Structures are given as structure tokens and as C-alpha cells.
Amino acid sequence: MKKKIIIGKRKPLVRHLLLVEGISRSGKFLLADLLSGLRGIEPVQYYGLLEHIPVFEAAGLIDRRTAEEILRCEIDTHCYEMLIGRNLNHRVSDKSSIFKNPRAKEFVRRSAIADDETLNRFYQHKAYSLFILHEIMPYIRLYFDTFKNITIKTISVRRHPVDLVYSWHRRGLMERLGKDPKLFMIPAEGGRGPMPWFVHGRQEEYYALSSLDRIIFCIEQLFKKYNSGYCRLPPAMKKKILFVDYETIVTDTKSVIQRLSGFLQKGVLPEMKGILRREHLPGKHLAEAREKKMAEIKEIASASYFWRLQKLASDYNSAHTIPQ
């Protein structure tokens, strides 16, 4: 009988890790644009496995030690390949395109430098490796436990529930789940077709709903899971998280930049002004546009789920300073 393989450990490469997370369509890539205007921040990367592993571990599909070692190895692999130029995104239209980064020429030039020299400079500058993740707050503790021996910080982007519901609806996320090969969200199976992992345990309610009501239900469930996931964290871990509201990014960009700079202890580059011009920041207040979205949603949603969205909106407005 063969003995079970025991997962070992390897020396980590990354020493400073920065995660930007939030519900889909919350504005994470816009925040990443601002982060590129700070010193010592690597180009942003998105890698889906990094957000799937915590869900699979929480569901008991992967054991804890295996999940931790996969996360360590994949983070190190992708950060190293970014350092030596393999992971530079040359697609001009993408928000994560290297050409949108004010230090693009520097990052391209270093691909011609010897690997060890590049790594030494990386450590010398105490640069943060930056990743974007979706819906990870409910299981963020796995990251804090896995990377407890390095510097890890998380920025969580929050957005008004009406804007989230409207954006999910316009993109047809629930209709595409499990059917569109370009939607890279691994679904759960509840017996009547694919469903998001975050409605597991309440799938009968999910299946009984129309498409728009399903979206409202999903956002409601995510808000609850975000709150409970954060509340379960010990105080030391909560200090490693900075919450930023999308509405504040748009309307009070200067204060957000100051908070990012202080949280990460990284200075602001002169090129930040160019980033703000390109992204048209600060922008207009969002209340009028949100009223139109709410009216459109009301025409389609059921009365009971429209009321639930109103309740989410009221709670969000009460808990956040929403520019009007």
C-alpha cells in the first residue's frame, strides 16, 4: 500500500503582498490605476486560481495545507514572471495593460537585466506584488494565515448595491454562468443547473427566482458573507485591511490617494496627475445616475426583491458617506 504524499514547504520569494479585492464590478481595476501612481508597487495581475482556492478549501474540496502551499507557489511564480517580463500585459485596451502604467518603460527595460539583479532590486525597494481578486473577503483569513511571515495587506473596494445589481444585470452574469466559456467563474452545482458558490445552502430559493431577482439575491448574500467574514477576523488581521468606497474614489480622489499612500507607506509619483486626467478623476456625483438605474430595475424586478434592494441601499447609505 502506497503512503499518502505529505505536502512540504518551500522558501518563499515574495516578501510584500498586496491584494485588491471586492465584489465583481466594484471598481477594483480603477483602484489599481491609482496604485500604479505610488512608488514601489508592481504592475497589477489577475489570476483566477488565487480566488478559487480559498472557496474550495472552505468547502472541504482541498485540505488546508495543500491550499496554503498552492497559494504560496502560485503567488511566487506569477510575481517572479512579472519581474522578468513574462507576465507584462501588452493588450492596449485592458485596464491592466502595462502601457497604462506610468513606469511601463522601467518594467519593460528590466526584462533585459539578469534575473538575480532584478530580484535584488525588488527586495531593496520593498516593492508590493499586486493582485486583484473577486469576492474573497469571506475567506480572506486563509491569505493572512498563509502569508503570516511576510508583509501582506488587503484593500477592499466597496460599491453601492444598486450600481452592482445594475452592472451585473447589464452584463447578464446569471444567464452566462456555466454557459459562457468566457465567464471564468467556476460554478457550484445545486441539482438544477450551475449556481454561484455564495448561494450554496439556499439554492432552492435561487432557482425559483427570475434573472434580475437572482442578482439581487446574490448581492444580498455577498454583503452578508462580507460582513460575517470580516467580523470573524481578529483585530490584528483587521488592521491589514483598508476599505475604500467606489463613490469616494470617483468624487474625492485626493483623499483616497492619501489613504492609500499612508496605508502602504509609499510615496506618490509625479505621474499620478496624468493617471487622474486619463481616468477623468475626480468625476461627477453618482446619485442622479443611480436614480435612473433604480427606476429601470423597478420595472423588471419583483416587488419583494425590489424592496430587498431598497433595504440594501438604505443600509449602505447609512453605513457609508455617500456623495449626493
Side-chain angles (χ1 to χ4, degrees), residues 192 199 201-210 213-214 217 220-221 305 308:
R192 292 168 58 187
V199 301
R202 300 189 65 177
Q203 52 262 43
E204 293 308 314
E205 182 176 357
Y206 172 81
Y207 286 134
L209 300 174
S210 67
D213 285 359
R214 283 183 177 183
F217 180 60
E220 181 183 61
Q221 293 306 302
Y305 272 85
R308 288 165 79 157

Side-chain angles (χ1 to χ4, degrees), residues 107-317:
F107 294 132
V108 172
R109 281 197 304 267
R110 76 180 181 188
S111 63
I113 301 173
D115 294 3
D116 287 344
E117 183 179 349
T118 299
L119 191 57
N120 288 335
R121 291 182 183 180
F122 174 65
Y123 289 146
Q124 181 182 357
H125 295 149
K126 297 181 179 180
Y128 276 100
S129 294
L130 171 60
F131 287 90
I132 279 183
L133 303 172
H134 296 78
E135 289 103 34
I136 208 68
M137 182 58 69
Y139 305 125
I140 194 66
R141 179 156 188 165
L142 177 62
Y143 271 94
F144 290 144
D145 287 342
T146 300
F147 297 98
K148 60 187 175 183
N149 294 323
I150 70 169
T151 300
I152 175 172
K153 294 190 177 183
T154 298
I155 302 171
S156 185
V157 185
R158 301 178 292 198
R159 191 172 185 180
H160 199 285
V162 171
D163 294 337
L164 293 174
V165 167
Y166 185 82
S167 183
W168 280 37
H169 171 61
R170 292 299 295 266
R171 293 176 68 85
L173 291 187
M174 292 302 97
E175 294 94 335
R176 295 165 58 199
L177 183 65
K179 301 173 183 177
D180 183 352
K182 294 188 294 183
L183 183 63
F184 304 110
M185 179 191 294
I186 298 178
E189 178 56 57
R192 292 168 58 187
M195 65 178 188
W197 63 263
F198 39 81
V199 301
H200 177 71
R202 300 189 65 177
Q203 52 262 43
E204 293 308 314
E205 182 176 357
Y206 172 81
Y207 286 134
L209 300 174
S210 67
S211 176
L212 184 52
D213 285 359
R214 283 183 177 183
I215 291 173
I216 296 172
F217 180 60
C218 286
I219 297 301
E220 181 183 61
Q221 293 306 302
L222 280 171
F223 272 45
K224 290 178 180 177
K225 289 183 180 296
Y226 262 63
N227 183 61
S228 61
Y230 177 74
C231 289
R232 287 195 302 267
L233 295 175
M237 290 184 181
K238 290 180 179 178
K239 291 180 180 179
K240 298 178 181 180
I241 300 174
L242 175 68
F243 288 99
V244 178
D245 297 336
Y246 175 82
E247 296 79 19
T248 309
I249 296 174
V250 173
T251 59
D252 192 7
T253 318
K254 182 178 179 180
S255 71
V256 171
I257 293 171
Q258 291 173 341
R259 292 178 65 206
L260 295 175
S261 177
F263 180 64
L264 300 173
Q265 293 296 290
K266 297 293 184 182
V268 179
L269 294 169
E271 291 85 356
M272 181 67 85
K273 293 181 180 179
I275 294 173
L276 299 183
R277 284 195 300 270
R278 185 189 71 212
E279 301 299 326
H280 306 291
L281 294 173
K284 297 179 180 179
H285 294 302
L286 307 171
E288 183 177 348
R290 190 172 298 122
E291 289 177 4
K292 293 179 180 179
K293 294 176 183 178
M294 200 66 165
E296 185 174 329
I297 292 170
K298 186 177 182 180
E299 291 293 320
I300 306 172
S302 67
S304 61
Y305 272 85
F306 183 72
W307 179 86
R308 288 165 79 157
L309 177 57
Q310 288 179 305
K311 179 65 166 58
L312 282 176
S314 176
D315 290 346
Y316 187 88
N317 291 339

